[in-house]
Amino acid sequence: MATVSEEVRVRFAPSPTGYFHVGGARTALYNWLFARQRGGKLILRIEDTDTERSDPAWTEGILKALEWLNISIDEGPYFQSQRKNLYLGAAEKLFLSGHAYACDCTREDIDGRKKEGSKPGYDNYCRERGLVPGVGRALRFRVPDTGVTVVNDIVRGEVEFANVSIEDFVLLKSSGDPLFVLAVVVDDQDMGITHIIRAEEHLPTTPKALLLWQALSDKKLPVFAHLPVLVNEKRQKLSKRRDRVAVEDYRAMGILPEAMFNYLTVLGWAPKDGSEIFKPEKALAEFDLGQVNHSPAFFDEKRLFYFNGHYIRSLTDGDFVERALPHLEKAYPNLDRQDILSKFVPLAAVTKERVTTLEESVGLLAFLFDVPFSPDGDDFQKLIGESDFAESFMRDVLEHFKQAADADGRGSLAETGSGAGSGTGFDAELLKAVLIQCADKAGLKLAKAQAPIRVSVLGKKTGLPLFEALETLGPREVIARLENALARLAAV
Ligand code: GLU
């Protein structure tokens, strides 16, 4: 007889107590990959029982980030804060079946009874006192004194916990509020979860969850996969206080969602052919939870930027403009979108090649939009102020640029931007020829000759290709900036 294979149901269960963490995103992604591969369902459950630390704004952030990453959810979000009655019902059931007992010990009582060398945790004082549950009394789970609880973990294999090492843990606080471990197990059973894929930090509570699971029902136990912790370059666990961990921060600096998706995929797993940069289809085809590495995964921001640079370069120029435009609009709120576009579009192709985040475009294009424009002081001093050739060379270039501008159909003072490749007189090709000619005359190599012109007109010693940038800036602005630089030089 053919067996009907059970439907895979996984859940992503974040607590909305802060910015959505890259570790959370990696957990969500691995759940998503697993569900999609198995034709299963991904359920989103918001674990907001900690009312003091939870905030709907954080939930909103999680939903937005999942959408941004293209991690689609099949069911939910369910909110634990709306499911308290279920947890209370389960607690009652556990009490009635003898798996749980009421306890009126305070922390002081427990600490006061501790003797040197005694077992850490609760001393089971109330186990046989037969207290009736009620206000001011916690409810504790009666952990078996013998035997072992085995966690069947896809990533770590079988992990055994001696029951004697597990204390009689609290299910309901003395305030009557359910504890996390109870809520999670009740929900996982209620939602028919088959695989629990979550962060490694939850492994120590897993034997408690399994004991609780079995005490509540005879439903098949879930399979676990505890994912490796993310660490920084010092091998320290990523921390909100020390490291940049918020998905939102990466989004704001112009990491593309496809780059983040790809990078998160390789934090603990790699395809067999060793490739690192690949499309989601490859991850879907080849991802294997059983091959996830259990040692910590280094979240290397530099590597993420490298991935991102790759994805940016593979955008069409049009897509790149569309994605980078909001960063420029944010940096220059007083500028009209069309004004930005008219200068940005001609330089999109060369900008795209030089950035690893969209936000970096703002720095590279600042020479087009900064008002008033002013060259970097250090670069100016070093490459112009202390140069023995800059002044005379710049004068010569200026004269020739003026002639080029006059020859230009638009006249030197008529227009500003022209647009690369527009074929007018003041274009990249001609400007380069002019500079080569002036450099030859002065006995200078082109690279050296470009430096004072670049600093005077584009503001910094590095940046976009000089001649395309000059063409886009247009004759009036280029000439004015060269004149200003010469005046500044004369003034010192
Ligand atoms: N709410 C927990 C967290 O955000 C996850 C618990 C679980 O996945 O079982 O860390």
Side-chain angles (χ1 to χ4, degrees):
M1 210 175 71
T3 50
V4 180
S5 64
E6 154 196 68
E7 186 194 38
V8 162
R9 290 176 63 82
V10 295
R11 81 313 193 264
F12 175 52
S15 305
T17 52
Y19 281 111
F20 188 41
H21 191 288
V22 285
R26 197 268 315 260
T27 301
L29 177 59
Y30 279 19
N31 273 285
W32 182 85
L33 285 169
F34 188 72
R36 294 292 165 265
Q37 276 186 331
R38 304 284 184 106
K41 295 270 188 304
L42 171 58
I43 291 136
L44 177 63
R45 183 168 79 219
I46 303 295
E47 304 206 318
D48 56 352
T49 47
D50 182 343
T51 44
E52 261 165 44
R53 292 173 61 223
S54 299
D55 187 324
W58 301 129
T59 301
E60 200 47 45
I62 294 167
L63 295 174
K64 269 204 202 140
L66 292 176
E67 197 187 334
W68 179 69
L69 284 166
N70 235 334
I71 297 178
S72 49
I73 299 296
D74 303 304
E75 273 180 38
Y78 297 106
F79 291 87
Q80 285 194 326
S81 57
Q82 294 166 10
R83 298 167 59 84
K84 190 170 170 186
N85 283 342
L86 268 181
Y87 314 140
L88 296 181
E92 190 179 354
K93 188 171 159 191
L94 289 165
F95 176 73
L96 294 174
S97 63
H99 285 104
Y101 61 88
C103 165
D104 63 0
C105 299
T106 61
R107 172 89 351 245
E108 292 71 43
D109 294 339
I110 300 170
D111 290 345
R113 289 196 297 267
K114 281 238 147 63
K115 296 191 193 71
E116 212 165 308
S118 62
K119 206 174 107 181
Y122 184 60
D123 61 359
N124 302 348
Y125 182 79
C126 291
R127 249 195 192 191
E128 310 305 337
R129 285 177 65 212
L131 296 178
V132 178
V135 180
R137 288 178 179 170
L139 194 73
R140 285 183 182 272
F141 187 79
R142 191 188 298 271
V143 176
D145 294 323
T146 56
V148 291
T149 298
V150 181
V151 179
N152 175 4
D153 192 295
I154 303 183
V155 177
R156 278 145 215 280
E158 289 189 348
V159 190
E160 275 190 18
F161 294 84
N163 290 338
V164 68
S165 67
I166 307 168
E167 69 170 335
D168 280 2
F169 53 94
V170 175
L171 300 169
L172 296 183
K173 290 195 245 181
S174 55
S175 60
D177 286 327
L179 255 97
F180 181 66
V181 63
L182 175 65
V184 167
V185 172
V186 169
D187 281 344
D188 286 339
Q189 287 197 349
D190 187 58
M191 294 171 187
I193 301 303
T194 57
H195 295 75
I196 296 182
I197 304 167
R198 61 180 176 183
E200 183 184 354
E201 68 196 33
H202 298 293
L203 184 59
T205 62
T206 305
K208 296 180 187 171
L210 283 175
L211 290 167
L212 203 45
W213 183 291
Q214 289 160 298
L216 276 168
S217 88
D218 54 8
K219 279 194 181 145
K220 190 170 166 217
L221 291 176
V223 175
F224 288 87
H226 284 97
L227 306 177
V229 66
L230 301 187
V231 293
N232 65 16
E233 72 282 0
K234 294 189 184 131
R235 314 300 289 172
Q236 296 159 319
K237 191 175 170 214
L238 284 192
S239 114
K240 287 187 189 183
R241 273 171 297 281
R242 192 178 42 221
D243 309 298
R244 179 156 41 200
V245 296
V247 173
E248 186 46 42
D249 287 348
Y250 287 107
R251 181 182 180 167
M253 68 199 290
I255 296 292
L256 303 181
E258 47 272 52
M260 183 59 109
F261 182 102
N262 188 163
Y263 187 61
L264 292 173
T265 308
V266 298
L267 286 178
W269 174 78
K272 286 223 163 60
D273 63 10
S275 55
E276 277 202 302
I277 297 189
F278 45 78
K279 294 209 158 63
E281 293 76 41
K282 185 174 170 79
L284 277 168
E286 296 182 29
F287 179 73
D288 182 354
L289 204 47
Q291 293 298 317
V292 169
N293 198 330
H294 55 74
S295 40
F298 174 25
F299 181 80
D300 183 355
E301 207 178 68
K302 289 201 196 79
R303 198 100 196 111
L304 170 62
F305 294 161
Y306 164 78
F307 274 51
N308 203 48
H310 172 91
Y311 278 94
I312 288 180
R313 287 191 297 282
S314 54
L315 295 174
T316 63
D317 292 353
D319 272 352
F320 172 64
V321 168
E322 199 176 303
R323 303 228 204 170
L325 185 61
H327 294 265
L328 288 160
E329 288 189 307
K330 187 163 174 239
Y332 298 101
N334 298 327
L335 285 182
D336 192 76
R337 171 175 291 195
Q338 282 316 317
D339 288 346
I340 296 179
L341 284 174
S342 66
K343 290 183 175 158
F344 177 25
V345 168
L347 292 173
V350 290
T351 307
K352 194 180 87 173
E353 296 299 319
R354 286 166 177 76
V355 293
T356 58
T357 66
L358 296 172
E359 182 69 18
E360 280 169 19
S361 313
V362 174
L364 277 181
L365 297 167
F367 74 93
L368 291 171
F369 305 117
D370 275 352
V371 179
F373 168 80
S374 163
D376 176 275
D378 284 350
D379 285 355
F380 189 91
Q381 178 57 23
K382 225 161 145 227
L383 291 161
I384 300 177
E386 289 163 19
S387 157
D388 50 8
F389 71 90
E391 186 175 357
S392 58
F393 180 69
M394 281 159 62
R395 282 197 195 289
D396 194 25
V397 170
L398 178 61
E399 278 322 302
H400 284 83
F401 278 6
K402 278 184 175 167
Q403 285 165 23
D406 284 339
D408 190 283
R410 300 161 303 163
S412 65
L413 298 176
E415 295 281 337
T416 51
S418 68
S422 60
T424 59
F426 201 85
D427 68 15
E429 219 173 301
L430 180 94
L431 299 176
K432 184 172 180 186
V434 165
L435 208 76
I436 290 176
Q437 203 189 0
C438 297
D440 273 354
K441 217 187 326 162
L444 297 168
K445 289 234 161 56
L446 184 62
K448 196 165 180 195
Q450 283 193 35
I453 308 299
R454 173 184 284 286
V455 172
S456 308
V457 183
L458 308 188
K460 286 194 222 104
K461 66 179 179 201
T462 55
L464 295 183
L466 177 63
F467 303 107
E468 277 97 328
L470 296 180
E471 177 180 338
T472 302
L473 206 50
R476 181 159 68 175
E477 199 55 33
V478 170
I479 288 165
R481 289 182 188 188
L482 275 173
E483 283 174 341
N484 281 346
L486 284 163
R488 177 166 161 185
L489 207 52
V492 285

